[in-house]
Amino acid sequence: MNYRAFLIKYAEIGIKGKNRYVFEDALCDRIAEKLAKVAEGFDVVREQGRIEVNYPENYDYDEAVSQMQKVFGVWEICPAYVIEDASWDNLAKKTGDYVEERYGNTKHTFKVEARRSDKSYPITSPQICADMGEVILKRFSEFSVDVHNPEILLYVEIRNMAYVYSESIKGPGGMPVGANGHAMLLLSGGIDSPVAGYMVSKRGVTIDAVYFHAPPYTSERAKQKVIDLAKLISVYTGPIKLHVVNFTDVQLAIIDKCPRDELTIIMRRYMMRIAEHFAYENKCQALITGESIGQVASQTPQSLVATNAVCTLPVYRPVIAFDKQDIVDIAEKINTYETSIQPYEDCCTIFVAKHPVTKPNLNIIKKSEELLTEKIDELVQTAIDTDELIIVGKHKKHEED
Ligand code: ATP
Ligand code: MG
Protein backbone atom coordinates (compact mmCIF):
# COMPACT_ATOMS: atom_id res chain seq x y z
CA MET A 1 0.00 0.00 0.00
CA ASN A 2 1.17 3.54 -0.49
CA TYR A 3 -0.23 6.69 0.97
CA ARG A 4 0.65 10.33 0.99
CA ALA A 5 2.11 12.39 3.77
CA PHE A 6 4.08 15.53 4.43
CA LEU A 7 7.68 14.88 5.26
CA ILE A 8 8.92 17.69 7.47
CA LYS A 9 12.63 18.41 7.43
CA TYR A 10 14.25 20.35 10.20
CA ALA A 11 17.66 21.90 10.33
CA GLU A 12 19.29 22.86 13.58
CA ILE A 13 17.48 20.59 15.95
CA GLY A 14 19.24 17.74 14.25
CA ILE A 15 22.44 18.61 16.10
CA LYS A 16 21.16 18.57 19.63
CA GLY A 17 22.56 15.20 20.68
CA LYS A 18 20.81 13.62 23.63
CA ASN A 19 18.31 16.46 23.97
CA ARG A 20 17.18 16.01 20.45
CA TYR A 21 13.88 14.42 21.39
CA VAL A 22 12.92 17.54 23.38
CA PHE A 23 13.20 19.59 20.20
CA GLU A 24 11.50 16.97 18.05
CA ASP A 25 8.62 16.61 20.48
CA ALA A 26 8.20 20.39 20.69
CA LEU A 27 8.20 20.58 16.90
CA CYS A 28 5.60 17.80 16.62
CA ASP A 29 3.40 19.57 19.17
CA ARG A 30 3.68 22.96 17.43
CA ILE A 31 2.82 21.42 14.04
CA ALA A 32 -0.13 19.50 15.51
CA GLU A 33 -1.48 22.67 17.16
CA LYS A 34 -1.39 24.53 13.87
CA LEU A 35 -2.96 21.72 11.85
CA ALA A 36 -5.77 21.35 14.38
CA LYS A 37 -6.96 24.72 13.06
CA VAL A 38 -7.20 23.30 9.53
CA ALA A 39 -9.09 20.05 10.10
CA GLU A 40 -9.43 17.17 12.50
CA GLY A 41 -7.51 13.96 12.01
CA PHE A 42 -3.95 15.05 11.24
CA ASP A 43 -1.39 12.70 12.73
CA VAL A 44 2.09 14.08 13.44
CA VAL A 45 4.72 11.44 14.15
CA ARG A 46 8.43 11.49 14.85
CA GLU A 47 10.47 9.37 12.45
CA GLN A 48 14.26 9.03 12.35
CA GLY A 49 15.57 12.49 11.50
CA ARG A 50 12.24 13.63 10.09
CA ILE A 51 8.69 14.32 11.08
CA GLU A 52 5.90 12.70 9.15
CA VAL A 53 2.48 14.32 8.95
CA ASN A 54 -0.36 12.07 7.85
CA TYR A 55 -3.42 13.93 6.79
CA PRO A 56 -7.13 13.17 6.93
CA GLU A 57 -9.26 12.54 3.87
CA ASN A 58 -10.70 16.02 3.74
CA TYR A 59 -8.62 19.09 4.41
CA ASP A 60 -7.48 22.25 2.69
CA TYR A 61 -4.00 21.60 1.27
CA ASP A 62 -3.01 25.26 0.86
CA GLU A 63 -4.18 26.12 4.33
CA ALA A 64 -2.30 23.18 5.86
CA VAL A 65 0.92 24.17 4.08
CA SER A 66 0.48 27.80 5.04
CA GLN A 67 0.01 26.85 8.70
CA MET A 68 3.09 24.64 8.72
CA GLN A 69 5.09 27.47 7.13
CA LYS A 70 4.51 29.43 10.34
CA VAL A 71 5.99 26.81 12.64
CA PHE A 72 9.51 27.68 13.76
CA GLY A 73 11.83 24.71 13.36
CA VAL A 74 10.33 23.64 10.05
CA TRP A 75 12.98 23.80 7.37
CA GLU A 76 11.15 22.20 4.46
CA ILE A 77 7.74 20.69 3.87
CA CYS A 78 7.79 17.88 1.32
CA PRO A 79 4.52 16.37 0.10
CA ALA A 80 5.52 12.73 -0.39
CA TYR A 81 4.39 9.29 -1.46
CA VAL A 82 5.00 6.86 1.37
CA ILE A 83 5.62 3.36 0.07
CA GLU A 84 5.36 0.72 2.74
CA ASP A 85 6.58 -2.16 0.60
CA ALA A 86 9.96 -0.84 -0.52
CA SER A 87 11.01 -4.00 -2.41
CA TRP A 88 12.62 -2.89 -5.65
CA ASP A 89 9.88 -3.80 -8.13
CA ASN A 90 7.19 -2.15 -6.04
CA LEU A 91 9.36 0.89 -5.34
CA ALA A 92 10.10 1.31 -9.05
CA LYS A 93 6.44 1.02 -9.99
CA LYS A 94 5.19 3.39 -7.29
CA THR A 95 7.89 5.95 -7.99
CA GLY A 96 6.78 5.93 -11.62
CA ASP A 97 3.16 6.35 -10.50
CA TYR A 98 4.20 9.34 -8.43
CA VAL A 99 5.94 10.96 -11.40
CA GLU A 100 2.99 10.25 -13.65
CA GLU A 101 0.54 11.77 -11.24
CA ARG A 102 2.59 14.91 -10.67
CA TYR A 103 4.04 15.58 -14.11
CA GLY A 104 2.45 13.24 -16.66
CA ASN A 105 4.55 12.31 -19.66
CA THR A 106 5.48 15.88 -20.55
CA LYS A 107 8.90 17.17 -21.50
CA HIS A 108 11.09 17.41 -18.41
CA THR A 109 14.67 17.01 -17.33
CA PHE A 110 15.22 15.18 -14.06
CA LYS A 111 17.70 13.71 -11.67
CA VAL A 112 17.21 11.08 -8.96
CA GLU A 113 18.64 11.74 -5.50
CA ALA A 114 18.60 8.65 -3.29
CA ARG A 115 19.29 8.20 0.38
CA ARG A 116 19.36 4.91 2.21
CA SER A 117 19.23 5.32 5.99
CA ASP A 118 18.14 1.69 6.26
CA LYS A 119 21.55 0.15 5.54
CA SER A 120 20.07 -3.34 5.37
CA TYR A 121 18.33 -2.33 2.16
CA PRO A 122 20.06 -4.41 -0.52
CA ILE A 123 20.72 -1.63 -3.02
CA THR A 124 23.16 1.23 -2.38
CA SER A 125 22.16 4.86 -2.86
CA PRO A 126 24.20 5.43 -6.07
CA GLN A 127 22.70 2.24 -7.49
CA ILE A 128 19.16 3.36 -6.62
CA CYS A 129 19.85 6.65 -8.43
CA ALA A 130 21.11 4.88 -11.54
CA ASP A 131 18.44 2.18 -11.62
CA MET A 132 15.56 4.50 -10.83
CA GLY A 133 16.80 6.87 -13.54
CA GLU A 134 16.48 4.05 -16.03
CA VAL A 135 13.03 3.11 -14.79
CA ILE A 136 11.82 6.67 -15.32
CA LEU A 137 13.44 7.02 -18.74
CA LYS A 138 11.82 3.79 -19.86
CA ARG A 139 8.36 4.75 -18.68
CA PHE A 140 8.40 8.42 -19.74
CA SER A 141 9.60 8.91 -23.27
CA GLU A 142 9.60 12.72 -22.95
CA PHE A 143 11.92 12.72 -19.94
CA SER A 144 15.68 13.20 -20.13
CA VAL A 145 18.40 13.26 -17.48
CA ASP A 146 20.20 16.44 -16.46
CA VAL A 147 22.46 15.92 -13.46
CA HIS A 148 23.55 19.56 -13.20
CA ASN A 149 20.41 21.58 -13.53
CA PRO A 150 17.34 19.29 -13.52
CA GLU A 151 13.80 20.64 -13.59
CA ILE A 152 12.71 17.79 -11.36
CA LEU A 153 14.83 16.60 -8.47
CA LEU A 154 13.25 13.30 -7.53
CA TYR A 155 14.08 12.19 -4.02
CA VAL A 156 13.89 8.53 -3.06
CA GLU A 157 14.55 7.93 0.62
CA ILE A 158 14.66 4.46 2.11
CA ARG A 159 13.93 4.38 5.82
CA ASN A 160 11.70 1.82 7.49
CA MET A 161 9.48 2.68 4.53
CA ALA A 162 10.29 4.47 1.28
CA TYR A 163 9.50 8.10 0.65
CA VAL A 164 9.31 9.60 -2.81
CA TYR A 165 8.96 13.33 -3.38
CA SER A 166 10.12 16.12 -5.62
CA GLU A 167 8.75 19.24 -4.03
CA SER A 168 10.25 21.08 -1.05
CA ILE A 169 8.29 24.03 0.30
CA LYS A 170 10.35 26.38 2.48
CA GLY A 171 9.46 26.74 6.16
CA PRO A 172 10.63 29.57 8.42
CA GLY A 173 13.62 27.73 9.95
CA GLY A 174 14.62 28.44 13.55
CA MET A 175 13.69 26.22 16.47
CA PRO A 176 10.31 25.11 17.80
CA VAL A 177 8.76 27.42 20.36
CA GLY A 178 8.96 25.80 23.77
CA ALA A 179 12.38 24.29 23.22
CA ASN A 180 14.41 27.21 24.57
CA GLY A 181 12.98 28.82 27.66
CA HIS A 182 10.77 31.81 28.18
CA ALA A 183 11.14 35.59 27.82
CA MET A 184 9.12 38.75 28.49
CA LEU A 185 8.78 41.13 25.55
CA LEU A 186 8.31 44.86 26.11
CA LEU A 187 5.78 45.38 23.37
CA SER A 188 4.96 48.90 22.24
CA GLY A 189 2.90 49.92 19.27
CA GLY A 190 5.98 50.61 17.16
CA ILE A 191 7.72 48.75 14.38
CA ASP A 192 10.67 47.38 16.31
CA SER A 193 9.36 45.49 19.31
CA PRO A 194 7.03 43.08 17.42
CA VAL A 195 9.98 42.22 15.16
CA ALA A 196 12.20 41.71 18.23
CA GLY A 197 9.62 39.33 19.73
CA TYR A 198 9.32 37.41 16.47
CA MET A 199 13.10 37.04 16.19
CA VAL A 200 13.64 35.71 19.69
CA SER A 201 10.66 33.40 19.39
CA LYS A 202 12.20 32.02 16.21
CA ARG A 203 15.01 30.67 18.37
CA GLY A 204 12.50 28.51 20.22
CA VAL A 205 11.74 30.89 23.08
CA THR A 206 8.21 31.13 24.49
CA ILE A 207 7.10 34.77 24.61
CA ASP A 208 4.88 36.74 26.93
CA ALA A 209 4.52 40.49 26.72
CA VAL A 210 4.01 43.67 28.70
CA TYR A 211 2.58 46.92 27.38
CA PHE A 212 2.60 50.22 29.26
CA HIS A 213 -0.15 52.68 28.58
CA ALA A 214 -1.06 56.00 30.13
CA PRO A 215 -4.80 56.57 30.05
CA PRO A 216 -6.33 59.08 29.49
CA TYR A 217 -3.23 60.43 27.73
CA THR A 218 -3.09 57.35 25.54
CA SER A 219 -6.28 56.05 23.96
CA GLU A 220 -8.11 52.73 23.91
CA ARG A 221 -7.29 52.62 20.22
CA ALA A 222 -3.56 52.75 21.00
CA LYS A 223 -4.02 49.82 23.35
CA GLN A 224 -6.04 47.91 20.76
CA LYS A 225 -3.21 48.43 18.28
CA VAL A 226 -0.80 46.68 20.65
CA ILE A 227 -3.27 43.83 21.19
CA ASP A 228 -3.54 43.55 17.39
CA LEU A 229 0.25 43.41 17.09
CA ALA A 230 0.44 40.72 19.76
CA LYS A 231 -2.16 38.74 17.81
CA LEU A 232 -0.20 39.12 14.58
CA ILE A 233 3.03 37.79 16.06
CA SER A 234 1.20 35.05 17.96
CA VAL A 235 0.60 33.45 14.55
CA TYR A 236 4.28 32.50 14.83
CA THR A 237 5.01 32.60 18.55
CA GLY A 238 1.91 30.80 19.75
CA PRO A 239 -0.30 32.16 22.56
CA ILE A 240 0.94 35.32 24.29
CA LYS A 241 -0.02 36.49 27.76
CA LEU A 242 -0.11 40.26 27.39
CA HIS A 243 0.09 42.30 30.60
CA VAL A 244 -1.37 45.75 30.07
CA VAL A 245 0.05 48.04 32.75
CA ASN A 246 -1.39 51.41 33.68
CA PHE A 247 1.71 53.56 33.81
CA THR A 248 0.05 56.98 34.17
CA ASP A 249 0.73 57.68 37.83
CA VAL A 250 4.34 56.51 37.67
CA GLN A 251 4.85 58.71 34.66
CA LEU A 252 3.18 61.75 36.25
CA ALA A 253 5.33 61.34 39.35
CA ILE A 254 8.46 61.35 37.21
CA ILE A 255 7.26 64.42 35.33
CA ASP A 256 6.50 66.13 38.60
CA LYS A 257 9.81 65.44 40.33
CA CYS A 258 12.56 64.77 37.82
CA PRO A 259 14.39 66.96 35.29
CA ARG A 260 12.43 67.02 32.07
CA ASP A 261 15.38 66.08 29.86
CA GLU A 262 15.85 62.86 31.87
CA LEU A 263 12.19 61.90 31.69
CA THR A 264 12.43 59.30 28.95
CA ILE A 265 15.42 57.53 30.49
CA ILE A 266 13.89 57.40 33.95
CA MET A 267 10.60 56.22 32.48
CA ARG A 268 12.38 53.49 30.55
CA ARG A 269 14.12 52.38 33.76
CA TYR A 270 10.77 52.02 35.49
CA MET A 271 9.37 50.12 32.54
CA MET A 272 12.25 47.66 32.76
CA ARG A 273 11.78 47.23 36.50
CA ILE A 274 8.07 46.50 36.14
CA ALA A 275 8.61 44.26 33.13
CA GLU A 276 11.16 42.33 35.13
CA HIS A 277 8.63 41.81 37.89
CA PHE A 278 6.29 40.11 35.40
CA ALA A 279 9.23 38.24 33.91
CA TYR A 280 10.09 36.65 37.24
CA GLU A 281 6.42 35.99 37.96
CA ASN A 282 6.17 34.09 34.66
CA LYS A 283 9.46 32.25 35.21
CA CYS A 284 11.16 34.02 32.30
CA GLN A 285 14.93 33.95 31.83
CA ALA A 286 15.15 37.23 29.90
CA LEU A 287 13.53 40.48 28.79
CA ILE A 288 13.23 41.44 25.12
CA THR A 289 13.16 44.95 23.67
CA GLY A 290 13.18 46.45 20.19
CA GLU A 291 16.04 48.81 20.96
CA SER A 292 18.54 49.64 18.22
CA ILE A 293 21.74 51.63 18.70
CA GLY A 294 21.30 55.33 18.13
CA GLN A 295 17.72 55.17 16.83
CA VAL A 296 16.45 57.74 19.36
CA ALA A 297 17.91 59.57 22.36
CA SER A 298 16.96 56.75 24.71
CA GLN A 299 18.89 54.25 22.61
CA THR A 300 22.36 55.78 22.51
CA PRO A 301 25.00 53.50 24.03
CA GLN A 302 25.06 55.75 27.12
CA SER A 303 21.27 55.62 27.44
CA LEU A 304 21.33 51.86 27.11
CA VAL A 305 23.80 51.72 30.02
CA ALA A 306 21.32 53.64 32.15
CA THR A 307 18.35 51.49 31.10
CA ASN A 308 20.21 48.25 31.42
CA ALA A 309 21.52 49.07 34.89
CA VAL A 310 18.17 48.34 36.57
CA CYS A 311 17.85 44.85 35.06
CA THR A 312 19.04 41.68 36.74
CA LEU A 313 17.86 39.42 33.91
CA PRO A 314 19.62 39.42 30.54
CA VAL A 315 17.96 41.75 28.03
CA TYR A 316 17.70 40.35 24.53
CA ARG A 317 17.86 43.14 21.95
CA PRO A 318 17.78 41.24 18.67
CA VAL A 319 17.58 44.35 16.45
CA ILE A 320 20.32 46.25 18.28
CA ALA A 321 22.57 46.44 15.19
CA PHE A 322 19.87 46.52 12.54
CA ASP A 323 19.24 49.49 10.28
CA LYS A 324 15.64 50.70 10.42
CA GLN A 325 15.01 49.49 6.89
CA ASP A 326 16.14 45.97 7.82
CA ILE A 327 13.66 45.98 10.70
CA VAL A 328 10.93 47.29 8.38
CA ASP A 329 11.68 44.49 5.92
CA ILE A 330 11.03 41.88 8.60
CA ALA A 331 7.94 43.75 9.83
CA GLU A 332 6.56 43.59 6.29
CA LYS A 333 7.39 39.92 5.96
CA ILE A 334 5.59 39.02 9.21
CA ASN A 335 2.69 41.33 8.44
CA THR A 336 3.03 43.71 11.41
CA TYR A 337 4.20 46.78 9.50
CA GLU A 338 0.81 48.12 8.42
CA THR A 339 -0.50 47.91 11.98
CA SER A 340 2.66 49.39 13.50
CA ILE A 341 2.49 52.53 11.38
CA GLN A 342 -1.06 53.40 12.44
CA PRO A 343 -0.67 56.82 14.04
CA TYR A 344 -1.66 56.31 17.67
CA GLU A 345 0.16 57.89 20.57
CA ASP A 346 2.59 55.97 22.78
CA CYS A 347 3.16 56.72 26.45
CA CYS A 348 6.85 57.32 25.71
CA THR A 349 6.17 60.11 23.28
CA ILE A 350 3.39 62.14 24.86
CA PHE A 351 5.48 63.97 27.45
CA VAL A 352 8.76 63.74 25.67
CA ALA A 353 11.25 66.60 26.23
CA LYS A 354 12.29 68.80 23.33
CA HIS A 355 15.94 68.08 24.07
CA PRO A 356 16.26 64.79 25.95
CA VAL A 357 19.69 63.82 27.29
CA THR A 358 21.54 61.67 24.80
CA LYS A 359 24.51 60.85 27.06
CA PRO A 360 23.00 60.35 30.48
CA ASN A 361 25.33 59.85 33.40
CA LEU A 362 24.16 56.92 35.49
CA ASN A 363 24.99 58.57 38.80
CA ILE A 364 23.07 61.69 37.90
CA ILE A 365 20.08 59.61 36.80
CA LYS A 366 20.18 57.70 40.09
CA LYS A 367 20.29 61.00 41.99
CA SER A 368 17.27 62.25 40.08
CA GLU A 369 15.38 59.08 40.90
CA GLU A 370 15.98 59.73 44.61
CA LEU A 371 13.58 62.65 44.23
CA LEU A 372 10.86 60.07 43.71
CA THR A 373 11.60 58.10 46.88
CA GLU A 374 8.59 59.22 48.83
CA LYS A 375 5.90 57.47 46.88
CA ILE A 376 7.31 55.71 43.84
CA ASP A 377 7.39 52.22 45.35
CA GLU A 378 3.71 52.41 46.09
CA LEU A 379 2.91 53.69 42.60
CA VAL A 380 4.95 50.92 41.00
CA GLN A 381 3.24 48.34 43.20
CA THR A 382 -0.19 49.67 42.23
CA ALA A 383 0.76 49.55 38.54
CA ILE A 384 1.79 45.92 38.99
CA ASP A 385 -1.27 44.99 41.02
CA THR A 386 -3.74 46.53 38.58
CA ASP A 387 -2.38 44.97 35.39
CA GLU A 388 -4.92 43.70 32.90
CA LEU A 389 -4.12 40.28 31.50
CA ILE A 390 -5.13 39.57 27.91
CA ILE A 391 -4.35 36.25 26.26
CA VAL A 392 -4.01 36.34 22.49
CA GLY A 393 -3.56 33.60 19.90
CA LYS A 394 -5.07 30.77 21.90
CA HIS A 395 -4.93 27.28 20.44
CA LYS A 396 -8.09 25.53 19.33
CA LYS A 397 -7.96 23.33 22.39
CA HIS A 398 -8.03 26.40 24.64
CA GLU A 399 -10.76 28.07 22.64
CA GLU A 400 -13.03 25.18 23.39
CA ASP A 401 -12.27 25.28 27.13
P1 ATP B 1 9.19 50.38 18.84
O1 ATP B 1 9.14 50.58 17.38
O2 ATP B 1 9.34 48.96 19.25
O3 ATP B 1 8.07 51.08 19.55
P2 ATP B 1 10.80 52.66 19.32
O4 ATP B 1 11.72 52.91 18.25
O5 ATP B 1 9.51 53.43 19.39
O6 ATP B 1 10.51 51.10 19.35
P3 ATP B 1 11.33 53.37 22.10
O7 ATP B 1 10.03 54.03 22.24
O8 ATP B 1 12.56 54.07 22.55
O9 ATP B 1 11.64 52.85 20.63
O10 ATP B 1 11.29 52.01 22.88
C1 ATP B 1 12.34 51.15 22.90
C2 ATP B 1 11.81 49.79 23.33
O11 ATP B 1 11.20 49.91 24.61
C3 ATP B 1 10.70 49.28 22.43
O12 ATP B 1 11.21 48.57 21.34
C4 ATP B 1 9.94 48.38 23.37
O13 ATP B 1 10.60 47.13 23.52
C5 ATP B 1 10.05 49.14 24.68
N1 ATP B 1 8.87 50.04 24.85
C6 ATP B 1 8.75 51.34 24.51
N2 ATP B 1 7.53 51.81 24.81
C7 ATP B 1 6.85 50.81 25.36
C8 ATP B 1 5.52 50.65 25.88
N3 ATP B 1 4.65 51.65 25.87
N4 ATP B 1 5.17 49.44 26.37
C9 ATP B 1 6.04 48.40 26.35
N5 ATP B 1 7.29 48.49 25.87
C10 ATP B 1 7.70 49.67 25.39
MG1 MG C 1 7.92 52.90 20.62
Side-chain angles (χ1 to χ4, degrees):
M1 195 197 118
N2 64 297
Y3 59 98
R4 298 125 199 268
F6 292 107
L7 208 57
I8 308 295
K9 296 185 181 176
Y10 44 78
E12 265 181 82
I13 60 175
I15 56 170
K16 292 293 160 195
K18 279 191 188 144
N19 285 330
R20 185 177 166 142
Y21 75 94
V22 175
F23 290 77
E24 289 173 330
D25 285 350
L27 185 53
C28 285
D29 289 348
R30 299 297 86 81
I31 293 171
E33 283 158 5
K34 283 285 182 199
L35 290 174
K37 295 181 183 188
V38 180
E40 274 179 32
F42 282 98
D43 180 30
V44 184
V45 281
R46 182 145 62 88
E47 291 289 336
Q48 329 151 274
R50 297 269 192 271
I51 283 166
E52 189 180 313
V53 176
N54 298 305
Y55 44 78
E57 222 162 275
N58 293 312
Y59 76 104
D60 182 330
Y61 173 90
D62 291 334
E63 178 61 15
V65 168
S66 156
Q67 289 292 345
M68 288 190 282
Q69 281 183 298
K70 297 187 181 81
V71 178
F72 293 138
V74 170
W75 180 249
E76 278 176 338
I77 304 157
C78 309
Y81 251 37
V82 184
I83 302 164
E84 281 183 68
D85 170 11
S87 60
W88 177 254
D89 288 348
N90 191 55
L91 180 64
K93 159 136 194 0
K94 293 289 161 54
T95 303
D97 291 350
Y98 169 83
V99 172
E100 177 147 356
E101 184 183 303
R102 260 197 76 69
Y103 304 101
N105 187 12
T106 47
K107 212 172 168 56
H108 281 296
T109 60
F110 78 103
K111 174 189 176 183
V112 179
E113 192 83 51
R115 189 196 251 204
R116 181 186 58 142
S117 50
D118 173 7
K119 298 294 177 210
S120 67
Y121 195 74
I123 313 173
T124 62
S125 301
Q127 200 60 46
I128 295 172
C129 289
D131 293 356
M132 195 60 83
E134 273 186 36
V135 167
I136 300 296
L137 284 173
K138 228 184 202 165
R139 183 160 161 183
F140 302 93
S141 54
E142 294 290 315
F143 274 52
S144 59
V145 172
D146 181 346
V147 290
H148 300 296
N149 200 9
E151 288 160 15
I152 301 168
L153 194 53
L154 182 64
Y155 289 92
V156 179
E157 291 189 10
I158 313 285
R159 300 167 179 277
N160 50 349
M161 293 183 263
Y163 297 83
V164 174
Y165 59 94
S166 60
E167 193 186 355
S168 302
I169 304 159
K170 270 262 161 263
M175 296 194 195
V177 173
N180 275 332
H182 202 154
M184 183 63 65
L185 168 67
L186 283 90
L187 181 63
S188 69
I191 296 168
D192 310 321
S193 47
V195 169
Y198 166 88
M199 287 175 72
V200 172
S201 172
K202 187 161 182 260
R203 298 304 299 164
V205 180
T206 303
I207 302 284
D208 285 320
V210 52
Y211 164 60
F212 297 91
H213 69 155
Y217 304 99
T218 62
S219 63
E220 272 301 297
R221 196 59 200 83
K223 171 179 145 188
Q224 187 57 45
K225 174 182 169 183
V226 174
I227 298 170
D228 292 345
L229 285 170
K231 271 189 197 152
L232 287 169
I233 59 169
S234 75
V235 166
Y236 296 92
T237 66
I240 294 177
K241 280 194 274 175
L242 173 66
H243 298 266
V244 178
V245 175
N246 186 329
F247 200 49
T248 312
D249 289 343
V250 174
Q251 220 171 346
L252 291 177
I254 300 169
I255 290 165
D256 187 33
K257 301 278 185 198
C258 301
R260 199 56 183 255
D261 61 347
E262 293 169 7
L263 167 69
T264 308
I265 292 293
I266 294 176
M267 230 170 60
R268 302 271 310 120
R269 283 163 58 91
Y270 277 98
M271 279 189 185
M272 296 304 254
R273 289 176 172 115
I274 294 173
E276 196 165 81
H277 167 88
F278 290 112
Y280 279 116
E281 199 177 84
N282 287 280
K283 301 195 167 46
C284 295
Q285 296 85 33
L287 300 174
I288 307 167
T289 73
E291 289 160 313
S292 169
I293 298 169
Q295 205 187 72
V296 285
S298 60
Q299 296 174 30
T300 63
Q302 295 83 353
S303 296
L304 290 168
V305 168
T307 312
N308 206 63
V310 298
C311 301
T312 56
L313 284 173
V315 182
Y316 298 160
R317 299 180 171 93
V319 300
I320 194 76
F322 276 39
D323 291 351
K324 191 74 187 188
Q325 188 56 47
D326 297 335
I327 304 172
V328 166
D329 289 347
I330 299 179
E332 283 178 333
K333 190 181 84 180
I334 65 173
N335 197 29
T336 53
Y337 183 71
E338 287 302 321
T339 303
S340 288
I341 59 170
Q342 288 171 7
Y344 297 107
E345 65 292 335
D346 182 72
C347 72
C348 279
T349 48
I350 40 172
F351 302 113
V352 81
K354 262 212 180 79
H355 301 289
V357 278
T358 53
K359 293 182 185 163
N361 174 304
L362 185 55
N363 289 326
I364 295 174
I365 296 288
K366 282 181 178 167
K367 270 257 165 310
S368 301
E369 280 182 3
E370 282 172 17
L371 301 168
L372 297 164
T373 309
E374 223 173 283
K375 56 177 184 175
I376 195 73
D377 289 349
E378 198 186 319
L379 295 178
V380 165
Q381 195 55 48
T382 305
I384 288 170
D385 292 343
T386 57
D387 80 309
E388 180 190 357
L389 185 62
I390 299 170
I391 301 179
V392 302
K394 288 187 218 175
H395 293 313
K396 201 151 187 285
K397 218 168 53 193
H398 297 136
E399 280 165 11
E400 283 161 7
D401 287 348

